[in-house]
Amino acid sequence: VNAVRAQVDRVARLSADLRKLADLETQPIEQEPVQIDRLLAELGQTARARSEAKDRAIRLVLPTAPWPLPPVAGDADLLYLAMYNLIDNALKFTDAGDTVEIRASEDGASVVIEVADTGPGIADEDLPHLGEELFRGQAARTVEGSGLGLALAEAIAGRHGGSMALRSRLGQGTVVSLRLPVARVTGS
């Protein structure tokens, strides 16, 4: 009974994620100023509260000098979901004693958000496929998930006029980056 319930739950999550992806392609998104530093602080607290995180170092690195991050234009809920998926992956693919670092910086007309970990890294042959819907690399096949988290994060970044990039070294870790345009400030 528990095995059947677990499979039903997995299919329900998969269906919900597929629906979100389809909606991203067709539905308009909000274009409000989003304070990424506040969103990341909230996500950092959420990550530290998760049971998987109790034996991992979770660091949040945000600029404060000479100025904080500028806002990005977009949908705060969608951006939260994209970053949550990146942090969720980092926690899933790390072990006790590993580090997950959530960091952001301003780079010209963009804000760059990175989720880095000291996990096992990703095989070179899997890297080009990681944003594909339902793709699960060799190392991911034993870890619970739908294979849609990175595809969803990449689609969200794209809808916000941004992009996603991934770097990894086997045996050292992985860095997933979202690059989002800074919100245009209109003033008098």
Side-chain angles (χ1 to χ4, degrees):
V1 172
N2 286 339
V4 171
R5 183 171 288 123
Q7 290 303 318
V8 168
D9 289 345
R10 183 170 185 255
V11 169
R13 282 191 309 274
L14 179 62
S15 176
D17 286 347
L18 285 169
R19 192 170 35 256
K20 285 176 199 159
L21 269 172
D23 287 347
L24 272 175
E25 294 174 7
T26 60
Q27 302 297 316
I29 62 169
E30 288 185 30
Q31 291 295 318
E32 297 298 321
V34 177
Q35 298 296 329
I36 293 296
D37 50 357
R38 291 183 195 150
L39 218 54
L40 290 174
E42 184 180 336
L43 280 158
Q45 289 178 337
T46 301
R48 286 182 193 97
R50 290 181 50 174
S51 61
E52 306 97 318
K54 69 180 185 317
D55 50 9
R56 290 165 181 78
I58 298 176
R59 294 190 194 117
L60 179 61
V61 180
L62 298 171
T64 57
W67 54 78
L69 288 173
V72 301
D75 183 308
D77 292 336
L78 287 176
L79 292 170
Y80 183 95
L81 177 62
M83 291 178 261
Y84 177 87
N85 281 331
L86 300 184
I87 295 166
D88 183 57
N89 275 354
L91 290 172
K92 279 196 253 185
F93 293 102
T94 54
D95 293 317
D98 280 333
T99 298
V100 174
E101 193 169 272
I102 305 158
R103 53 192 184 224
S105 61
E106 182 179 1
D107 183 20
S110 298
V111 170
V112 178
I113 300 125
E114 293 184 326
V115 178
D117 67 64
T118 57
I122 300 165
D124 288 340
E125 59 270 14
D126 288 344
L127 282 173
H129 305 287
L130 286 177
E132 296 173 11
E133 294 174 24
L134 303 176
F135 178 79
R136 294 183 51 84
Q138 189 64 36
R141 295 190 181 134
T142 59
V143 177
E144 186 178 320
S146 66
L148 288 171
L150 288 176
L152 195 54
E154 187 169 37
I156 291 168
R159 282 303 308 272
H160 285 82
S163 61
M164 185 180 85
L166 196 139
R167 328 186 282 283
S168 189
R169 292 184 183 165
L170 217 46
Q172 292 184 347
T174 302
V175 180
V176 183
S177 305
L178 294 181
R179 179 175 289 273
L180 301 167
V182 170
R184 291 188 182 139
V185 178
T186 56
S188 48

